[in-house]
């Protein structure tokens, strides 16, 4: 791809920016605001230019592939045959316009908080006394993780629930992800984002609200509770950060499980030890060198897709066959969103900002109500004994029958039931 064609495509991105009274933003790095803050909330639509889609397919056609792995399993990483099938479909069968139309059918907005454009979906329930809920995605996910649960959470009577289960739902894109702005300064870690979410909910007129998250969203929700963000009534987590400090130290040292652990805690300890030994290199890279890995993530669609699809393989509850729980289109929707917004690098920076993993407990949350759902395919199965140590006001705990790391995406019905149950006592 020539530099002149790439520059032309970037100009085309900006040429599509204005449509009938709405903000259309494809490349936030070129358009997020700086200077004085504004409380204005602007409608938002997506419109990826045809030239960007053409360029993607050209890059995919020109991909250079590594040799096939020389083992019969995935111990060396993502297996060539499995991954190449996905990329071939991305090039020859996938249609971005379908998810673009779905997104544009939702009420989406942009507002500026602390000098950065924040993109979010905001769906108000028709039911009286609906509870305001802000729900945060993770990495390598996006707002697309939540698409299947928006209707059931906001319109429960149409999806097996009761009117009193209804939520007003806010689904923001984390700074550096998707259609939110890319930070150009440091300081946009989970603490700052948690405070920004409080500002967002207040700006939308919600004086009291609850927060839900998994992966990065779990960390952000917990930081909101640690900081007692004004208006926060409680949080629900699908991946709680509860590993006690002494256990975290033993894991970091590579020690065997301490003799004091229960059988359930030993099983979790072994899960975490296996993860750190075999599957955590991605996190170490993003914590320490996000810019270095980021050059590949914004320049090579195949490289970026491999970085993300590897996690769909290992983190879904699918016996390493993610197509059993997510369609190829769903996974490629998410991968394409990262590609078209050029957010591979900026999304990795939250790991560098937080300088920690997403599993270790911080100081105990003493009073904010906490609800926890444990899905069987999550990276580790948090034992209730650790959950009790981490949260002083645990109002709900349940082990779910199905679902993995991307719970709302993989098992939207079960996830919806968990969110309803988690916050029922706070209404």
């Amino acid at each position: 791809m020539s530099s002149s064609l790439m520059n032309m495509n970037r100009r085309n991105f900006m040429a599509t920016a204005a449509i009938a009274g709405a903000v259309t933003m494809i490349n936030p790095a070129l358009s997020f605001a700086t200077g004085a803050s504004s409380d204005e909330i602007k409608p938002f639509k997506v419109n990826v230019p045809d030239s960007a889609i053409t360029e993607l397919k050209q890059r995919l056609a020109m991909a250079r592939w590594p040799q096939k792995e020389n083992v019969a399993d995935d111990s060396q990483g993502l297996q060539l045959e499995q991954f190449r099938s996905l990329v071939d479909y991305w090039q020859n069968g996938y249609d971005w316009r379908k998810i673009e139309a779905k997104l544009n059918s939702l009420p989406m907005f942009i507002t500026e908080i602390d000098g950065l454009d924040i993109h979010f979906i905001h769906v108000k329930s028709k039911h009286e006394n609906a509870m305001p809920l802000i729900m945060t995605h993770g990495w390598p996910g996006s707002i697309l993780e939540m698409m299947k649960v928006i209707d059931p959470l906001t319109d429960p009577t149409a999806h097996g629930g009761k009117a009193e289960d209804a939520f007003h739902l806010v689904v923001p894109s984390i700074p550096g992800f998707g259609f939110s702005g890319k930070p150009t300064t440091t300081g946009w870690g989970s603490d700052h984002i948690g405070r920004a979410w409080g500002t967002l909910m207040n700006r939308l007129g919600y004086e009291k609200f609850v927060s839900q998250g998994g992966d990065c969203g779990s960390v952000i929700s917990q930081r909101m509770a640690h900081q007692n963000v004004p208006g926060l009534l409680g949080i629900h987590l699908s991946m709680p950060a509860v590993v006690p400090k002494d256990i975290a130290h033993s894991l970091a040292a590579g020690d065997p499980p301490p003799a004091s652990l229960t059988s359930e805690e030993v099983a979790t300890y072994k899960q975490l030890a296996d993860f750190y030994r075999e599957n955590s290199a991605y996190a170490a890279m993003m914590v320490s060198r996000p810019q270095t890995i980021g050059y590949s993530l914004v320049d090579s669609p195949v490289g970026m897709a491999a970085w993300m699809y590897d996690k769909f393989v290992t983190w879904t509850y699918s016996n390493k066959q993610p197509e059993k729980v997510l369609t190829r289109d769903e996974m490629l929707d998410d991968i394409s969103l990262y590609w078209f917004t050029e957010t591979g690098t900026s999304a990795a920076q939250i790991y560098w900002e937080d300088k920690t993993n997403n599993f270790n407990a911080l100081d105990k949350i003493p009073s904010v109500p906490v609800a926890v759902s444990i899905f069987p395919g999550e990276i580790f199965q948090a034992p209730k004994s650790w959950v009790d140590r981490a949260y002083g006001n645990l109002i709900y705990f349940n082990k779910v029958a199905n679902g993995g790391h991307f719970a709302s995406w993989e098992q939207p019905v079960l996830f919806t039931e968990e969110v309803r149950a988690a916050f029922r006592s706070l209404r």
Side-chain angles (χ1 to χ4, degrees):
M1 180 64 58
S2 70
S3 60
S4 60
L5 178 56
M6 292 173 67
N7 288 334
M8 179 184 71
N9 284 332
R10 291 191 178 95
R11 289 194 296 271
N12 286 342
F13 270 124
M14 300 310 296
T16 62
I19 62 170
V23 171
T24 299
M25 185 165 59
I26 305 304
N27 190 341
L30 300 179
S31 55
F32 65 78
T34 57
S37 62
S38 169
D39 291 350
E40 185 178 6
I41 297 173
K42 303 176 183 179
F44 175 91
K45 295 290 183 182
V46 183
N47 182 15
V48 172
D50 290 339
S51 57
I53 297 173
T54 298
E55 180 192 347
L56 169 60
K57 293 184 180 295
Q58 290 172 337
R59 284 175 177 258
L60 294 173
M62 295 171 64
R64 296 199 305 177
W65 292 92
Q67 68 181 39
K68 188 179 185 295
E69 64 277 1
N70 53 24
V71 293
D73 56 24
D74 68 344
S75 60
Q76 294 182 344
L78 195 57
Q79 293 177 290
L80 179 63
E81 183 177 349
Q82 180 182 18
F83 178 54
R84 188 155 189 174
S85 174
L86 181 78
V87 174
D88 286 346
Y89 177 70
W90 197 14
Q91 179 188 346
N92 299 306
Y94 171 75
D95 182 3
W96 163 261
R97 296 301 182 198
K98 292 181 180 179
I99 190 61
E100 184 177 272
K102 287 182 181 179
L103 284 168
N104 286 337
S105 70
L106 295 168
M108 296 193 295
F109 304 90
I110 290 283
T111 193
E112 183 188 328
I113 299 176
D114 296 341
L116 195 69
D117 279 351
I118 302 298
H119 163 263
F120 61 98
I121 299 167
H122 183 201
V123 180
K124 299 198 71 172
S125 175
K126 66 181 180 182
H127 295 291
E128 189 177 358
N129 299 321
M131 173 177 276
L133 165 63
I134 186 165
M135 184 177 294
T136 312
H137 63 84
W139 181 93
S142 66
I143 56 170
L144 299 181
E145 292 180 61
M146 317 303 182
M147 294 289 282
K148 298 174 187 175
V149 301
I150 291 175
D151 283 348
L153 289 174
T154 58
D155 189 8
T157 56
H159 297 273
K162 301 177 181 178
E164 53 265 34
D165 291 325
F167 294 92
H168 298 310
L169 189 58
V170 179
V171 183
S173 296
I174 295 172
F177 288 72
F179 303 113
S180 280
K182 299 183 181 75
T184 58
T185 61
T186 59
W188 277 96
S190 293
D191 282 325
H192 190 167
I193 296 168
R195 295 192 298 272
W197 280 190
T199 299
L200 175 60
M201 296 301 279
N202 181 260
R203 188 171 296 175
L204 293 172
Y206 300 129
E207 295 181 357
K208 302 290 183 181
F209 58 92
V210 291
S211 178
Q212 194 284 329
D215 193 79
C216 298
S218 174
V219 178
I220 291 166
S221 293
Q222 290 184 104
R223 298 295 180 87
M224 294 172 74
H226 275 288
Q227 299 175 96
N228 284 304
V229 168
L232 183 67
L233 294 173
I235 63 175
H236 172 252
L237 312 170
S238 57
M239 194 189 77
V242 295
V243 179
K245 292 180 180 179
D246 56 329
I247 304 301
H249 178 78
S250 296
L251 283 163
D255 294 339
S260 60
L261 298 187
T262 67
S263 58
E264 183 183 25
E265 291 168 346
V266 168
T268 300
Y269 190 98
K270 291 179 177 178
Q271 277 185 320
L272 287 165
D274 288 345
F275 172 80
Y276 289 135
R277 182 176 60 252
E278 300 175 2
N279 288 302
S280 65
Y282 79 96
M285 192 69 182
M286 294 200 294
V287 165
S288 62
R289 310 292 285 177
Q291 190 71 17
T292 299
I293 187 61
Y295 294 111
S296 297
L297 299 181
V298 298
D299 184 63
S300 169
V302 170
M304 186 198 70
W307 192 249
M308 297 172 66
Y309 183 67
D310 181 84
K311 302 311 165 200
F312 298 151
V313 171
T314 56
W315 291 353
T316 52
Y317 195 45
S318 66
N319 196 26
K320 298 185 178 181
Q321 299 179 62
E323 289 80 4
K324 288 184 175 181
V325 294
L326 299 172
T327 68
R328 290 186 301 180
D329 280 3
E330 286 171 341
M331 289 182 283
L332 289 171
D333 289 341
D334 187 58
I335 292 168
S336 298
L337 176 60
Y338 277 74
W339 176 256
F340 290 130
T341 56
E342 302 177 20
T343 48
T345 308
S346 54
Q349 288 171 347
I350 191 173
Y351 284 73
W352 183 90
E353 288 283 355
D354 285 350
K355 288 289 194 298
T356 185
N357 66 47
N358 292 342
F359 308 145
N360 293 350
L362 300 174
D363 293 334
K364 188 171 186 175
I365 299 175
S367 58
V368 174
V370 179
V372 173
S373 299
I374 304 297
F375 289 84
E378 187 52 271
I379 294 171
F380 77 105
Q381 301 296 292
K384 189 170 185 295
S385 57
W386 292 359
V387 174
D388 285 333
R389 287 174 64 177
Y391 309 127
N393 188 8
L394 183 67
I395 60 170
Y396 179 84
F397 180 89
N398 188 43
K399 291 187 175 182
V400 189
N402 201 348
H405 183 72
F406 307 96
S408 61
W409 215 7
E410 298 176 52
Q411 296 295 331
V413 173
L414 290 175
F415 180 86
T416 297
E417 292 171 353
E418 286 301 296
V419 173
R420 290 173 181 168
F423 293 124
R424 193 162 286 142
S425 66
L426 298 181
R427 291 180 180 272

